[in-house]
Amino acid sequence: MLKKIFSPIKVGTNSLQHRVVLCPLTRFRSDPASVPSALQAEYYKQRATDGGLLITEATLISPSAGGYPRAPGIFNKEQIEGWKKVTSAVHEKKGVIFTQLWHVGRVGSKFLNPNQKQVVSASEIPVSGKNPQGNDYEVPRALQVDEIKEIVNDYTQSAKNAIEAGFDGVELHGANGYLIDQFINSSSNKRTDMYGGSIENRARFALEIVDSVAKAVGVERTAIRFSPGNSYQDMGDDTVIETWSYITSQLQKRHPDLAYLHFMEADAFLKDKLVDTLEPYRALWKGPFITANGYSTAPDQAIELAEKTGDLVAFGRAFISNPDLVERLRQGHELAQFDNSTFYTNDAAGYTDYPFYNETKN
Ligand SMILES: Cc1cc2nc3c(=O)[nH]c(=O)nc-3n(C[C@H](O)[C@H](O)[C@H](O)COP(=O)(O)O)c2cc1C
């Protein structure tokens, strides 16, 4: 019997042939001007399959969206041209590719912003602890309402740019403690205006972006990723299930034809056992549902989950080290181990040089 994970499903206007998805994975292989490189085209092409969905690494929506050197952007002509090489390489193999749209908010640094502009967030609350450079996180400035509207426009324009670059759709990065998540979580949003306080108000920014992007590029080309209950980058919410259930219900009501919703298991890296916590949201969303986080080290559980729920399952680290992950899962071949030390380096090593299974058998 064909396992559900290898069975077709419609995502937006795309007829997928299986449900194994490439997770968004930041890898810092763009050029210093955030233009996608030939190496990236090669990487995505290696992982493309007929009717398989790839989601790109998080991609900056504007020069002020923060981020990191050599993360890609999608706000100027050169970047759109760079991405065209990626999308056409994937389409040559009949793959489907969405890009993940990103604003980092308070996780950024003024040193990476034009004119060293202060980082922004929902409220003036920094991430606690030290950043990866060993310094205190910078204190953000709370966005004013007119600036919030400008950022909604940046998401919308970058979504249009993505379609111009040949993407099949966009995934809004509403997870992992970045700007959208900073508005949703009660720990980072202490606003007293229409964007803070109640669940409805904290969800408003995310929902406005979805409304605007869906209107601009089509609801079937729009998707969003969430990480309810994840503590990464100091996220915390007082009412996790209520908060993301409200958002999911609103999306079901306003946009039942979104390409998909993508949910991450909370703090999968911190637990020794992968536990499914996403059932409340799965029960509310009637369209395609992607589950992720932790399945790279538990591929059998991914196959079981898809069997039980019909979900698509996204793989991160296992797809880094297995360009032919889909085929390996289908054939039951062993998976190559990933090497954390090259996740964030800048060249081909640990990026495009992981062999396909048949190459390891020669
Ligand atoms: C190197 C690396 C980069 C990541 N970059 C992103 C990203 O850009 N956007 C995002 O939503 N998640 C990102 N994540 C999280 C992954 O999408 C995924 O949820 C995580 O790897 C867990 O799944 P896995 O167990 O299959 O690896 C990243 C994870 C890793 C390891």
Side-chain angles (χ1 to χ4, degrees):
M1 260 271 289
L2 182 68
K3 288 277 182 205
K4 254 203 197 134
I5 200 161
F6 302 116
S7 68
I9 185 169
K10 196 116 199 261
V11 163
T13 54
N14 309 286
S15 300
L16 300 189
Q17 297 304 313
H18 61 79
R19 303 175 188 213
V20 179
V21 177
L22 172 68
C23 271
L25 292 160
T26 293
R27 305 299 305 278
F28 300 146
R29 263 69 174 192
S30 292
D31 83 3
S34 294
V35 176
S37 61
L39 197 59
Q40 281 170 279
E42 175 63 18
Y43 166 84
Y44 286 107
K45 184 177 184 175
Q46 287 177 342
R47 284 155 186 79
T49 52
D50 185 355
L53 174 62
L54 308 182
I55 306 165
T56 73
E57 62 213 271
T59 297
L60 302 167
I61 60 166
S62 76
S64 313
Y68 308 87
R70 307 194 67 153
I74 188 143
F75 52 82
N76 66 33
K77 198 76 207 141
E78 293 73 31
Q79 294 160 353
I80 294 172
E81 291 307 312
W83 280 121
K84 279 185 187 167
K85 299 193 180 92
V86 174
T87 57
S88 58
V90 170
H91 289 151
E92 251 172 57
K93 290 179 75 178
K94 299 192 183 156
V96 174
I97 184 163
F98 277 47
T99 186
Q100 190 186 49
L101 298 181
W102 197 26
H103 190 308
V104 306
R106 69 179 188 174
V107 180
S109 166
K110 65 181 178 185
F111 299 110
L112 296 168
N113 282 346
N115 306 319
Q116 299 209 357
K117 273 194 303 190
Q118 189 179 357
V119 296
V120 296
S121 186
S123 297
E124 293 171 6
I125 304 170
V127 183
S128 59
K130 303 282 180 197
N131 66 21
Q133 290 72 43
N135 304 317
D136 288 340
Y137 279 93
E138 294 168 28
V139 179
R141 186 173 63 74
L143 285 163
Q144 293 170 0
V145 171
D146 59 332
E147 295 175 300
I148 292 176
K149 306 286 180 205
E150 279 169 33
I151 293 179
V152 174
N153 287 340
D154 289 340
Y155 275 101
T156 310
Q157 183 57 50
S158 63
K160 289 189 200 166
N161 295 349
I163 301 306
E164 186 186 336
F167 283 107
D168 300 294
V170 297
E171 174 181 289
L172 305 169
H173 196 343
N176 289 346
Y178 296 108
L179 187 62
I180 295 175
D181 213 18
Q182 291 161 27
F183 272 80
I184 297 174
N185 279 266
S186 55
S187 69
S188 47
N189 184 345
K190 304 290 180 199
R191 299 177 74 95
T192 53
D193 64 3
M194 66 193 289
Y195 289 98
S198 64
I199 293 175
E200 288 79 356
N201 283 353
R202 284 183 279 116
R204 191 178 307 282
F205 181 51
L207 294 173
E208 284 184 353
I209 299 168
V210 176
D211 289 347
S212 177
V213 168
K215 187 158 172 241
V217 302
V219 67
E220 69 290 347
R221 289 199 185 84
T222 307
I224 186 162
R225 187 179 216 208
F226 296 116
S227 52
N230 227 30
S231 63
Y232 181 58
Q233 303 197 125
D234 223 12
M235 288 291 96
D237 192 68
D238 296 334
T239 56
V240 172
I241 294 178
E242 288 85 341
T243 300
W244 278 270
S245 294
Y246 170 77
I247 296 173
T248 308
S249 313
Q250 284 297 307
L251 291 172
Q252 180 63 44
K253 196 164 100 189
R254 299 183 194 198
H255 300 296
D257 296 327
L258 285 175
Y260 61 82
L261 296 190
H262 186 173
F263 277 88
M264 292 170 64
E265 293 292 357
D267 290 337
F269 286 10
L270 306 178
K271 298 177 188 152
D272 45 6
K273 196 166 175 291
L274 185 57
V275 184
D276 176 28
T277 58
L278 302 176
E279 198 47 38
Y281 321 113
R282 206 176 274 127
L284 294 167
W285 176 248
K286 307 301 168 207
F289 192 100
I290 305 182
T291 290
N293 226 29
Y295 289 95
S296 281
T297 47
D300 294 344
Q301 263 179 273
I303 293 170
E304 255 172 59
L305 178 84
E307 205 57 27
K308 200 171 75 193
T309 61
D311 286 4
L312 298 100
V313 185
F315 292 83
R317 294 161 298 164
F319 229 143
I320 289 177
S321 53
N322 297 275
D324 54 348
L325 177 69
V326 180
E327 197 50 25
R328 289 195 196 216
L329 292 176
R330 208 192 296 270
Q331 303 299 339
H333 291 324
E334 80 226 32
L335 301 185
Q337 190 47 40
F338 44 84
D339 175 3
N340 301 14
S341 72
T342 49
F343 280 176
Y344 300 116
T345 45
N346 302 133
D347 55 18
Y351 189 55
T352 48
D353 62 353
Y354 282 106
F356 285 59
Y357 184 76
N358 55 11
E359 293 167 344
T360 65
K361 299 293 147 197
N362 290 335

